[in-house]
Amino acid sequence: MAEVSPLRRRMIEDMTIRNLSPATQRSYVHAVAKFSRYFGLSPDRLGLEDVRAFQVHLVSTGISWPALNQTVCALRFFYGVTLGHAEIPERIVYARSPRTLPVVLSADEIVRFLEAVPSLKTRTALTTAYAAGLRAAETVGLKVRHIDSERGVIRVEHGKGGKDRTVMLSAQLLRILRVYWRLAKPQDWLFPGRDPNRPIDVQVLYSACRSARAAAGIDKRVTVHTLRHSFATHLLENGTDIRIIQVLLGHNNLSSTALYTKVSNGLIRRTTSPLDRLNIEVVPPG
């Protein structure tokens, strides 16, 4: 195993002190290491102009805006916290991300998609992600003890931002999980990987989504997060208060949850067009 440099060790310690999630720590370390490799120098010997040149390079490679901003977060943390240059982070600019609408599957598409997943474990995991509106990392992080059948809830530990929350456990999902438990007999992790002491890798879920989308003949891009978007939108269409959906999704701001009002067909169909209040003839005069 390669020896960790003192600078990297300090950055990891800084992130650990601030209770950043393991996934965030890995992402930040990877971003700073990539920055360093691009110039062939230790990152503490690079300055703002180098950061700007690196951002230009990343944009030229076609990097996604979220990925670019993740790199910005990593570099701001590295310079501001690990190197202690408080004046630098605010000068490392974020990219303005386009506000795109989430992809949402219809109820029929959800059924077709899930039925196209051949593996019992993976299908149950993806069904759980949809039924409870979970992120991919939250889904694979579930343990058997997190399923509280008495209270009808699922406990999500260390979600985004390291926050815990409680989400719904539907009666149908509970039945599905009980069948899965009888057949798979998970001990600790609800969805264990090949090593039963570790959870299933999120890449397994991502790969299953791609295969099931093709097998089900769905022409939309489908990811685990698409199931989460569909969960929220379907709740909204069924009349669930948007503030309850906010809590279930673990959103800090209601504005994040309000995005689903823009893709809800139910809300759109229930809204009357002002044209319907007018008396306009179809046949033109004359």
PDB file of all heavy atoms in Angstrom, residues 236-259:
ATOM      1  N   LEU A 236     -46.496  13.744  -4.761  1.00  0.00           N
ATOM      2  CA  LEU A 236     -47.084  15.059  -4.994  1.00  0.00           C
ATOM      3  C   LEU A 236     -48.379  14.927  -5.793  1.00  0.00           C
ATOM      4  O   LEU A 236     -49.391  15.569  -5.480  1.00  0.00           O
ATOM      5  CB  LEU A 236     -46.084  15.947  -5.736  1.00  0.00           C
ATOM      6  CG  LEU A 236     -46.391  17.436  -5.835  1.00  0.00           C
ATOM      7  CD1 LEU A 236     -46.447  18.075  -4.446  1.00  0.00           C
ATOM      8  CD2 LEU A 236     -45.334  18.133  -6.684  1.00  0.00           C
ATOM      9  N   GLU A 237     -48.368  14.077  -6.800  1.00  0.00           N
ATOM     10  CA  GLU A 237     -49.559  13.878  -7.633  1.00  0.00           C
ATOM     11  C   GLU A 237     -50.691  13.220  -6.856  1.00  0.00           C
ATOM     12  O   GLU A 237     -51.864  13.394  -7.194  1.00  0.00           O
ATOM     13  CB  GLU A 237     -49.189  13.044  -8.858  1.00  0.00           C
ATOM     14  CG  GLU A 237     -48.288  13.792  -9.838  1.00  0.00           C
ATOM     15  CD  GLU A 237     -47.855  12.928 -11.014  1.00  0.00           C
ATOM     16  OE1 GLU A 237     -48.001  11.696 -10.945  1.00  0.00           O
ATOM     17  OE2 GLU A 237     -47.356  13.517 -11.994  1.00  0.00           O
ATOM     18  N   ASN A 238     -50.340  12.467  -5.814  1.00  0.00           N
ATOM     19  CA  ASN A 238     -51.365  11.820  -4.982  1.00  0.00           C
ATOM     20  C   ASN A 238     -51.851  12.715  -3.848  1.00  0.00           C
ATOM     21  O   ASN A 238     -52.620  12.271  -2.995  1.00  0.00           O
ATOM     22  CB  ASN A 238     -50.824  10.515  -4.410  1.00  0.00           C
ATOM     23  CG  ASN A 238     -50.662   9.444  -5.473  1.00  0.00           C
ATOM     24  OD1 ASN A 238     -51.379   9.452  -6.467  1.00  0.00           O
ATOM     25  ND2 ASN A 238     -49.710   8.544  -5.279  1.00  0.00           N
ATOM     26  N   GLY A 239     -51.386  13.962  -3.831  1.00  0.00           N
ATOM     27  CA  GLY A 239     -51.897  14.927  -2.867  1.00  0.00           C
ATOM     28  C   GLY A 239     -51.114  15.062  -1.582  1.00  0.00           C
ATOM     29  O   GLY A 239     -51.563  15.727  -0.641  1.00  0.00           O
ATOM     30  N   THR A 240     -49.929  14.475  -1.487  1.00  0.00           N
ATOM     31  CA  THR A 240     -49.107  14.601  -0.284  1.00  0.00           C
ATOM     32  C   THR A 240     -48.576  16.028  -0.163  1.00  0.00           C
ATOM     33  O   THR A 240     -48.112  16.605  -1.157  1.00  0.00           O
ATOM     34  CB  THR A 240     -47.912  13.614  -0.315  1.00  0.00           C
ATOM     35  OG1 THR A 240     -48.423  12.292  -0.501  1.00  0.00           O
ATOM     36  CG2 THR A 240     -47.111  13.681   0.968  1.00  0.00           C
ATOM     37  N   ASP A 241     -48.643  16.582   1.028  1.00  0.00           N
ATOM     38  CA  ASP A 241     -48.152  17.934   1.270  1.00  0.00           C
ATOM     39  C   ASP A 241     -46.672  18.012   0.926  1.00  0.00           C
ATOM     40  O   ASP A 241     -45.881  17.148   1.307  1.00  0.00           O
ATOM     41  CB  ASP A 241     -48.362  18.307   2.745  1.00  0.00           C
ATOM     42  CG  ASP A 241     -48.082  19.781   3.005  1.00  0.00           C
ATOM     43  OD1 ASP A 241     -46.902  20.174   2.952  1.00  0.00           O
ATOM     44  OD2 ASP A 241     -49.031  20.529   3.288  1.00  0.00           O
ATOM     45  N   ILE A 242     -46.284  19.066   0.228  1.00  0.00           N
ATOM     46  CA  ILE A 242     -44.914  19.194  -0.245  1.00  0.00           C
ATOM     47  C   ILE A 242     -43.919  19.291   0.915  1.00  0.00           C
ATOM     48  O   ILE A 242     -42.762  18.881   0.807  1.00  0.00           O
ATOM     49  CB  ILE A 242     -44.776  20.414  -1.194  1.00  0.00           C
ATOM     50  CG1 ILE A 242     -43.439  20.334  -1.956  1.00  0.00           C
ATOM     51  CG2 ILE A 242     -44.896  21.723  -0.426  1.00  0.00           C
ATOM     52  CD1 ILE A 242     -43.348  21.320  -3.091  1.00  0.00           C
ATOM     53  N   ARG A 243     -44.377  19.796   2.073  1.00  0.00           N
ATOM     54  CA  ARG A 243     -43.472  19.885   3.233  1.00  0.00           C
ATOM     55  C   ARG A 243     -43.185  18.507   3.818  1.00  0.00           C
ATOM     56  O   ARG A 243     -42.106  18.269   4.362  1.00  0.00           O
ATOM     57  CB  ARG A 243     -44.084  20.814   4.283  1.00  0.00           C
ATOM     58  CG  ARG A 243     -44.037  22.296   3.875  1.00  0.00           C
ATOM     59  CD  ARG A 243     -44.948  23.138   4.716  1.00  0.00           C
ATOM     60  NE  ARG A 243     -46.352  22.796   4.496  1.00  0.00           N
ATOM     61  CZ  ARG A 243     -47.373  23.483   4.999  1.00  0.00           C
ATOM     62  NH1 ARG A 243     -47.143  24.537   5.742  1.00  0.00           N
ATOM     63  NH2 ARG A 243     -48.617  23.119   4.754  1.00  0.00           N
ATOM     64  N   ILE A 244     -44.154  17.595   3.705  1.00  0.00           N
ATOM     65  CA  ILE A 244     -43.910  16.213   4.140  1.00  0.00           C
ATOM     66  C   ILE A 244     -42.912  15.547   3.197  1.00  0.00           C
ATOM     67  O   ILE A 244     -41.998  14.833   3.633  1.00  0.00           O
ATOM     68  CB  ILE A 244     -45.229  15.426   4.179  1.00  0.00           C
ATOM     69  CG1 ILE A 244     -46.151  15.996   5.258  1.00  0.00           C
ATOM     70  CG2 ILE A 244     -44.966  13.937   4.422  1.00  0.00           C
ATOM     71  CD1 ILE A 244     -47.516  15.349   5.311  1.00  0.00           C
ATOM     72  N   ILE A 245     -43.061  15.801   1.891  1.00  0.00           N
ATOM     73  CA  ILE A 245     -42.123  15.249   0.911  1.00  0.00           C
ATOM     74  C   ILE A 245     -40.718  15.775   1.178  1.00  0.00           C
ATOM     75  O   ILE A 245     -39.730  15.031   1.075  1.00  0.00           O
ATOM     76  CB  ILE A 245     -42.576  15.587  -0.523  1.00  0.00           C
ATOM     77  CG1 ILE A 245     -43.964  15.001  -0.785  1.00  0.00           C
ATOM     78  CG2 ILE A 245     -41.568  15.078  -1.549  1.00  0.00           C
ATOM     79  CD1 ILE A 245     -44.571  15.404  -2.116  1.00  0.00           C
ATOM     80  N   GLN A 246     -40.614  17.041   1.554  1.00  0.00           N
ATOM     81  CA  GLN A 246     -39.315  17.625   1.883  1.00  0.00           C
ATOM     82  C   GLN A 246     -38.636  16.848   3.001  1.00  0.00           C
ATOM     83  O   GLN A 246     -37.438  16.532   2.928  1.00  0.00           O
ATOM     84  CB  GLN A 246     -39.490  19.096   2.301  1.00  0.00           C
ATOM     85  CG  GLN A 246     -38.188  19.760   2.728  1.00  0.00           C
ATOM     86  CD  GLN A 246     -38.410  21.124   3.361  1.00  0.00           C
ATOM     87  OE1 GLN A 246     -39.556  21.577   3.506  1.00  0.00           O
ATOM     88  NE2 GLN A 246     -37.345  21.790   3.741  1.00  0.00           N
ATOM     89  N   VAL A 247     -39.392  16.525   4.043  1.00  0.00           N
ATOM     90  CA  VAL A 247     -38.843  15.785   5.180  1.00  0.00           C
ATOM     91  C   VAL A 247     -38.428  14.374   4.758  1.00  0.00           C
ATOM     92  O   VAL A 247     -37.357  13.886   5.119  1.00  0.00           O
ATOM     93  CB  VAL A 247     -39.868  15.722   6.334  1.00  0.00           C
ATOM     94  CG1 VAL A 247     -39.378  14.791   7.433  1.00  0.00           C
ATOM     95  CG2 VAL A 247     -40.122  17.121   6.890  1.00  0.00           C
ATOM     96  N   LEU A 248     -39.278  13.717   3.974  1.00  0.00           N
ATOM     97  CA  LEU A 248     -38.986  12.349   3.536  1.00  0.00           C
ATOM     98  C   LEU A 248     -37.725  12.290   2.675  1.00  0.00           C
ATOM     99  O   LEU A 248     -36.940  11.345   2.763  1.00  0.00           O
ATOM    100  CB  LEU A 248     -40.172  11.780   2.751  1.00  0.00           C
ATOM    101  CG  LEU A 248     -41.444  11.506   3.557  1.00  0.00           C
ATOM    102  CD1 LEU A 248     -42.587  11.118   2.630  1.00  0.00           C
ATOM    103  CD2 LEU A 248     -41.207  10.407   4.590  1.00  0.00           C
ATOM    104  N   LEU A 249     -37.526  13.311   1.851  1.00  0.00           N
ATOM    105  CA  LEU A 249     -36.349  13.332   0.985  1.00  0.00           C
ATOM    106  C   LEU A 249     -35.095  13.815   1.707  1.00  0.00           C
ATOM    107  O   LEU A 249     -33.987  13.609   1.225  1.00  0.00           O
ATOM    108  CB  LEU A 249     -36.607  14.239  -0.230  1.00  0.00           C
ATOM    109  CG  LEU A 249     -37.678  13.777  -1.229  1.00  0.00           C
ATOM    110  CD1 LEU A 249     -37.862  14.812  -2.321  1.00  0.00           C
ATOM    111  CD2 LEU A 249     -37.317  12.428  -1.831  1.00  0.00           C
ATOM    112  N   GLY A 250     -35.275  14.466   2.860  1.00  0.00           N
ATOM    113  CA  GLY A 250     -34.120  14.986   3.579  1.00  0.00           C
ATOM    114  C   GLY A 250     -33.577  16.268   2.986  1.00  0.00           C
ATOM    115  O   GLY A 250     -32.386  16.572   3.120  1.00  0.00           O
ATOM    116  N   HIS A 251     -34.440  17.046   2.314  1.00  0.00           N
ATOM    117  CA  HIS A 251     -34.010  18.320   1.733  1.00  0.00           C
ATOM    118  C   HIS A 251     -33.907  19.394   2.815  1.00  0.00           C
ATOM    119  O   HIS A 251     -34.798  19.514   3.668  1.00  0.00           O
ATOM    120  CB  HIS A 251     -35.008  18.802   0.680  1.00  0.00           C
ATOM    121  CG  HIS A 251     -34.909  18.063  -0.621  1.00  0.00           C
ATOM    122  ND1 HIS A 251     -35.905  18.094  -1.575  1.00  0.00           N
ATOM    123  CD2 HIS A 251     -33.930  17.274  -1.136  1.00  0.00           C
ATOM    124  CE1 HIS A 251     -35.542  17.350  -2.612  1.00  0.00           C
ATOM    125  NE2 HIS A 251     -34.352  16.849  -2.364  1.00  0.00           N
ATOM    126  N   ASN A 252     -32.851  20.192   2.759  1.00  0.00           N
ATOM    127  CA  ASN A 252     -32.726  21.314   3.688  1.00  0.00           C
ATOM    128  C   ASN A 252     -33.694  22.438   3.321  1.00  0.00           C
ATOM    129  O   ASN A 252     -34.264  23.084   4.188  1.00  0.00           O
ATOM    130  CB  ASN A 252     -31.292  21.856   3.685  1.00  0.00           C
ATOM    131  CG  ASN A 252     -30.326  20.930   4.391  1.00  0.00           C
ATOM    132  OD1 ASN A 252     -30.702  20.242   5.340  1.00  0.00           O
ATOM    133  ND2 ASN A 252     -29.089  20.895   3.933  1.00  0.00           N
ATOM    134  N   ASN A 253     -33.840  22.676   2.019  1.00  0.00           N
ATOM    135  CA  ASN A 253     -34.634  23.807   1.554  1.00  0.00           C
ATOM    136  C   ASN A 253     -35.864  23.332   0.789  1.00  0.00           C
ATOM    137  O   ASN A 253     -35.780  22.405  -0.031  1.00  0.00           O
ATOM    138  CB  ASN A 253     -33.791  24.707   0.636  1.00  0.00           C
ATOM    139  CG  ASN A 253     -32.581  25.263   1.344  1.00  0.00           C
ATOM    140  OD1 ASN A 253     -32.684  25.761   2.461  1.00  0.00           O
ATOM    141  ND2 ASN A 253     -31.418  25.178   0.713  1.00  0.00           N
ATOM    142  N   LEU A 254     -36.984  23.976   1.041  1.00  0.00           N
ATOM    143  CA  LEU A 254     -38.232  23.622   0.349  1.00  0.00           C
ATOM    144  C   LEU A 254     -38.107  23.872  -1.143  1.00  0.00           C
ATOM    145  O   LEU A 254     -38.768  23.202  -1.945  1.00  0.00           O
ATOM    146  CB  LEU A 254     -39.393  24.435   0.925  1.00  0.00           C
ATOM    147  CG  LEU A 254     -40.796  24.076   0.427  1.00  0.00           C
ATOM    148  CD1 LEU A 254     -41.120  22.616   0.748  1.00  0.00           C
ATOM    149  CD2 LEU A 254     -41.835  24.999   1.035  1.00  0.00           C
ATOM    150  N   SER A 255     -37.240  24.818  -1.541  1.00  0.00           N
ATOM    151  CA  SER A 255     -37.085  25.124  -2.963  1.00  0.00           C
ATOM    152  C   SER A 255     -36.590  23.914  -3.738  1.00  0.00           C
ATOM    153  O   SER A 255     -36.931  23.737  -4.916  1.00  0.00           O
ATOM    154  CB  SER A 255     -36.118  26.297  -3.157  1.00  0.00           C
ATOM    155  OG  SER A 255     -34.844  25.992  -2.611  1.00  0.00           O
ATOM    156  N   SER A 256     -35.797  23.071  -3.098  1.00  0.00           N
ATOM    157  CA  SER A 256     -35.319  21.861  -3.780  1.00  0.00           C
ATOM    158  C   SER A 256     -36.478  20.920  -4.053  1.00  0.00           C
ATOM    159  O   SER A 256     -36.569  20.304  -5.123  1.00  0.00           O
ATOM    160  CB  SER A 256     -34.271  21.144  -2.916  1.00  0.00           C
ATOM    161  OG  SER A 256     -33.152  21.964  -2.682  1.00  0.00           O
ATOM    162  N   THR A 257     -37.388  20.794  -3.095  1.00  0.00           N
ATOM    163  CA  THR A 257     -38.540  19.907  -3.256  1.00  0.00           C
ATOM    164  C   THR A 257     -39.551  20.498  -4.232  1.00  0.00           C
ATOM    165  O   THR A 257     -40.218  19.755  -4.963  1.00  0.00           O
ATOM    166  CB  THR A 257     -39.215  19.679  -1.897  1.00  0.00           C
ATOM    167  OG1 THR A 257     -38.215  19.464  -0.900  1.00  0.00           O
ATOM    168  CG2 THR A 257     -40.140  18.479  -1.928  1.00  0.00           C
ATOM    169  N   ALA A 258     -39.654  21.820  -4.255  1.00  0.00           N
ATOM    170  CA  ALA A 258     -40.642  22.483  -5.112  1.00  0.00           C
ATOM    171  C   ALA A 258     -40.366  22.237  -6.592  1.00  0.00           C
ATOM    172  O   ALA A 258     -41.255  22.426  -7.433  1.00  0.00           O
ATOM    173  CB  ALA A 258     -40.651  23.981  -4.838  1.00  0.00           C
ATOM    174  N   LEU A 259     -39.153  21.786  -6.919  1.00  0.00           N
ATOM    175  CA  LEU A 259     -38.833  21.484  -8.307  1.00  0.00           C
ATOM    176  C   LEU A 259     -39.787  20.450  -8.895  1.00  0.00           C
ATOM    177  O   LEU A 259     -40.096  20.473 -10.089  1.00  0.00           O
ATOM    178  CB  LEU A 259     -37.386  20.967  -8.395  1.00  0.00           C
ATOM    179  CG  LEU A 259     -36.845  20.590  -9.777  1.00  0.00           C
ATOM    180  CD1 LEU A 259     -36.764  21.827 -10.660  1.00  0.00           C
ATOM    181  CD2 LEU A 259     -35.484  19.940  -9.652  1.00  0.00           C
TER     182      LEU A 259
END
